[in-house]
């Protein structure tokens, strides 16, 4: 039984027309599906019946402000200029590098997101940035080619 390691997932943020790898500079990317639930107890039951009604997906992030990293500069600009609405929205892709696709690439989930910058941290003299990527609507499953950085809807696992 092997526990999946964090490095088995690659994360990409769409900056302009290109997907940029979220790697160097990022110290945390924590995905939170945050299931939304409902509960009802009927008069003939001692316990409630519960169900999942949706999700309020987000990913919190912490990063060092490395100017040469395009994704960090993109996020920093949103916070510095206090952008809102559509100016904070882009795409985010989580790629499972341990799940090869029949076509070239790997299983991926694409999210439409809004970037919420919470703070510009002073980490013992080095500047950081933290906040959340907030999900907009449902994720799409697909295939992501890490060479061409192209996402294609749909995923079929490579047969072994």
């Amino acid at each position: 039984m092997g526990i999946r390691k964090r490095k088995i997932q690659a994360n990409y943020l769409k900056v302009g027309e290109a997907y940029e790898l979220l790697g160097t500079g990022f110290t945390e990317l924590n995905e939170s599906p945050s299931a939304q639930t409902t509960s009802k107890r009927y008069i003939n039951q001692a316990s409630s019946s519960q169900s999942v009604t949706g999700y309020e997906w987000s990913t919190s992030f912490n990063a060092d402000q490395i100017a040469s990293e395009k994704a960090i500069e993109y996020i920093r600009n949103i916070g510095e200029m206090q952008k809102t609405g559509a100016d904070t929205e882009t795409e985010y892709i989580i790629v499972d590098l341990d799940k090869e696709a029949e076509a070239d690439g790997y299983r991926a989930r694409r999210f439409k997101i809004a970037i919420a910058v919470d703070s510009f941290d002073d980490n013992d003299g080095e500047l950081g940035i933290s906040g959340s990527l907030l999900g907009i609507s449902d994720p799409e499953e697909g295939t992501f080619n890490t060479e061409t950085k192209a996402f294609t809807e749909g995923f079929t696992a490579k047969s072994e």
Side-chain angles (χ1 to χ4, degrees), residues 7-68:
K7 66 181 184 178
I8 206 70
Q9 281 188 335
N11 305 77
Y12 292 85
L13 186 72
K14 191 169 190 180
V15 177
E17 294 301 312
Y19 288 105
E20 299 293 334
L21 178 66
L22 304 184
T24 301
F26 282 84
T27 57
E28 286 184 48
L29 278 171
N30 299 312
E31 184 178 3
S32 300
S34 297
Q36 304 298 294
T37 62
T38 187
S39 174
K40 184 174 253 185
R41 187 177 63 82
Y42 295 103
I43 60 171
N44 65 333
Q45 296 174 334
S47 300
S48 295
S49 296
Q50 301 179 73
S51 65
V52 175
T53 57
Y55 291 87
E56 197 169 304
W57 181 94
S58 67
T59 290
S60 61
F61 65 85
N62 284 306
D64 294 326
Q65 289 189 29
I66 299 176
S68 62

Side-chain angles (χ1 to χ4, degrees), residues 99-137:
K99 297 181 181 173
E100 259 189 277
E102 195 170 82
D104 287 337
Y106 302 90
R107 178 186 181 263
R109 293 174 289 145
R110 179 170 63 181
F111 298 83
K112 183 171 183 184
I113 59 154
I115 298 171
V117 177
D118 293 333
S119 67
F120 295 111
D121 310 311
D122 179 349
N123 300 323
D124 201 22
E126 296 181 338
L127 291 176
I129 187 169
S130 61
S132 297
L133 309 178
L134 307 173
I136 300 172
S137 193

